[in-house]
Amino acid sequence: MNADNRNLIMAIALSMLILIVYQVYFIPDAPPPQQEGYAGQTVEGLPATPSASELQASLSTAPLAATAPRIAIKGDKIEGSISLASGRIDDVKLLDYGETSLDDVNRVALLRKSGGDDSYFAEIGFLDGNSQPLVSKSTLWQADGDTLTPDTPITLSHAADGMVYRLTYTMDDGYLITINASVENNSGDVKEVRHFARMLRNKPSVSDFFISYEGPLGVFVEDVKEQVSYKTILDKDYRTERFQSEGIKGWIGITDKFWLAALIPHEQQDVLFSFNRVQANNRNGQPTQVDLITGGAAIADGTSLSREFSIFAGPKDVDVLNFYNDSQGIERLDHAIDWGWFPFLTKPFFHALNWLNDKLGNFGLAILALTIVVKLAFFPLANKSYKSMAKMRELSPKIQELRERFGDDKQRQQQEMMNLYRTEKVNPAAGCLPVLLQIPVFFALYKVLFIDLAMRHAPFYGWITDLGQSDPTSILNLFGLLPYSTAFFPDFLNLGLWPLFMGITMFVQMSLNPPPPDPVQAKVFKFMPLFFTFLLATFPAGLVIYWTWNNILSIIQQWFIMQSVKRASNAKG
């Protein structure tokens, strides 16, 4: 393979690897739809979750849960309500986060009322020895108050067949609700009781851009670096996968890009965590469920049994998750954040970016500053690469002359080109190898800018009021000068100013590279900036600003190196 073809393939491969191949080959599989219920086979003496025949009975109570009387939740960080039907927590809003902007009066609704298309709830309950519910789904529990706050717990109770069931809810001043589920046996007989907890989301979570994992996941095993996610289940091709807790305070939940809802049993030595999977090829309209079930316990007449469970419903904020890791002894709750393939780079970049944001007072400025730091760190490698490319550019006329002279003798052509490289002390591969070393850094920065909660709704300057969203301007109405909306056009056609700036800087940077002598190669290189301009039109503005600024710094550095190489060449005569 000649040097020009190798350079062409390398350039295309690097570009595609960064923006396309990564999305195609390294993204987790989409979480499949799941069923609601409690059936299945017994594993290690513990019953699993239900059959499809019980699904309809469970779903039929959803309207009741939605319309039943409610207990209000009022905390410092969350508010919402609990349905007296099943005691479901199906209404939780995050008070510090707006839906569409920082000032949006509509706060982020994490858990949502049963009965709706996007319902999302958590509940704790009781099963008998045959894994059948001991409290009917249609039961309305009795409450001893009307509002749950950090200072006022609420207890729901229900008595039936000589058994008294109680759910006592307490909450902290953050994002944790704890439920003590107790049962008192006054039936005159010994009763076997198991506890269960489940979290069900009617619509599966779907990644915005397939870069970070979203869906069911959990941590159950000690000394395992990575969380167990749904991808591991799909890789094993199991319809249902279950995990036994191994002596740690693990958890199971459902993660979004920025939010997490998780079930955390306090006693875990006999807890079975479950993901349930059905065969389906679409993402719409079927529920996603995670659950857990405890071992059975025989309760003598006149005695009681209780277990505690916590529900975390909050942001994937590193400080918040680490706080609960430490204060509650929860194992690796912070692993809900998908740090990607290079966590040894992603985490330092994350902390550096947020530190710069605190110092500079603007997340956009923090992105620009961090890009400068990274460019300085790679300055020697980039210099080597740009020097090699500058020398190759100087040799382009001679290489073209050799191609024309030995066009029919490919072997002689390659020999003469290698002699030229040795004479001029140029290594054609030197321009590519330093770039390869920077790919992990690019991935890590790209990952941080995408998943960082602090960038959500963070403003920059001018027309960029949310770095987490795409540039709101469009070339189709002259960036707002013409009085009509362009929303009906496909997103990739609504080219904003920043994507256009990026495309221009990419074109300028590529024009500084050695021109390929082959006409086909030249055309490919000319169209690449145009292709990436349309591709990046839908990216978050923060990412486009990063890429544009990185291009500008590269252009400056490359131009100075080219000038120095040119002066040295002229001095040699």
Side-chain angles (χ1 to χ4, degrees), residues 73-323:
I73 300 173
K74 292 186 178 180
D76 296 337
K77 299 294 185 181
I78 61 175
E79 69 176 16
S81 61
I82 302 168
S83 174
L84 292 185
S86 304
R88 289 181 179 178
I89 302 177
D90 63 354
D91 177 21
V92 171
K93 293 181 175 64
L94 308 182
L95 298 180
D96 289 342
Y97 301 94
E99 286 281 5
T100 60
S101 68
L102 292 173
D103 300 324
D104 189 351
V105 295
N106 297 311
R107 302 284 90 183
V108 168
L110 181 52
L111 300 185
R112 298 177 287 273
K113 291 182 181 180
S114 304
D117 291 339
D118 62 346
S119 63
Y120 188 4
F121 68 82
E123 66 179 352
I124 312 296
F126 307 88
L127 304 175
D128 64 17
N130 296 317
S131 299
Q132 298 301 310
L134 286 168
V135 179
S136 169
K137 297 290 184 181
S138 61
T139 298
L140 290 179
W141 293 63
Q142 300 299 310
D144 66 353
D146 57 12
T147 305
L148 171 65
T149 73
D151 299 320
T152 56
I154 290 291
T155 297
L156 307 185
S157 59
H158 173 69
D161 301 324
M163 309 285 283
V164 179
Y165 306 95
R166 294 184 179 89
L167 298 173
T168 300
Y169 298 77
T170 58
M171 66 182 300
D172 66 0
D173 55 5
Y175 302 95
L176 203 70
I177 297 177
T178 299
I179 301 109
N180 182 290
S182 66
V183 55
E184 181 182 339
N185 183 8
N186 298 315
S187 67
D189 297 318
V190 176
K191 297 289 186 180
E192 184 178 0
V193 176
R194 304 176 189 270
H195 289 82
F196 76 85
R198 68 169 172 167
M199 189 167 289
L200 186 140
R201 182 171 186 169
N202 195 44
K203 286 186 176 180
S205 54
V206 178
S207 172
D208 289 340
F209 200 64
F210 306 106
I211 296 173
S212 61
Y213 176 80
E214 298 183 33
L217 81 167
V219 170
F220 324 106
V221 182
E222 191 174 11
D223 297 329
V224 175
K225 292 182 179 180
E226 296 299 328
Q227 73 272 13
V228 179
S229 72
Y230 222 103
K231 187 175 189 303
T232 62
I233 301 169
L234 296 179
D235 288 343
K236 295 179 181 179
D237 197 28
Y238 284 130
R239 181 178 294 272
T240 298
E241 178 72 342
R242 305 181 178 96
F243 299 90
Q244 183 76 50
S245 177
E246 296 187 4
I248 64 171
K249 194 169 183 179
W251 55 274
I252 193 169
I254 301 173
T255 178
D256 291 296
K257 179 180 176 181
F258 294 127
W259 325 117
L260 171 69
L263 300 169
I264 309 154
H266 288 208
E267 299 175 42
Q268 305 211 355
Q269 66 273 12
D270 63 344
V271 174
L272 190 69
F273 297 87
S274 298
F275 298 109
N276 296 288
R277 171 178 179 238
V278 295
Q279 297 294 336
N281 296 320
N282 64 77
R283 301 179 178 183
N284 298 317
Q286 297 189 39
T288 297
Q289 177 173 306
V290 298
D291 53 49
L292 58 89
I293 189 171
T294 71
I299 309 176
D301 182 48
T303 63
S304 61
L305 170 71
S306 66
R307 295 189 73 141
E308 285 193 342
F309 305 84
S310 289
I311 296 173
F312 175 86
K316 287 162 55 173
D317 180 285
V318 172
D319 293 336
V320 169
L321 298 179
N322 283 335
F323 168 78

Side-chain angles (χ1 to χ4, degrees), residues 34-37 50-51 55 58-59 88 121 198 200 287 289:
Q34 303 165 50
Q35 291 181 322
E36 177 177 3
S51 63
L55 175 62
S58 177
L59 290 177
R88 289 181 179 178
F121 68 82
R198 68 169 172 167
L200 186 140
Q289 177 173 306

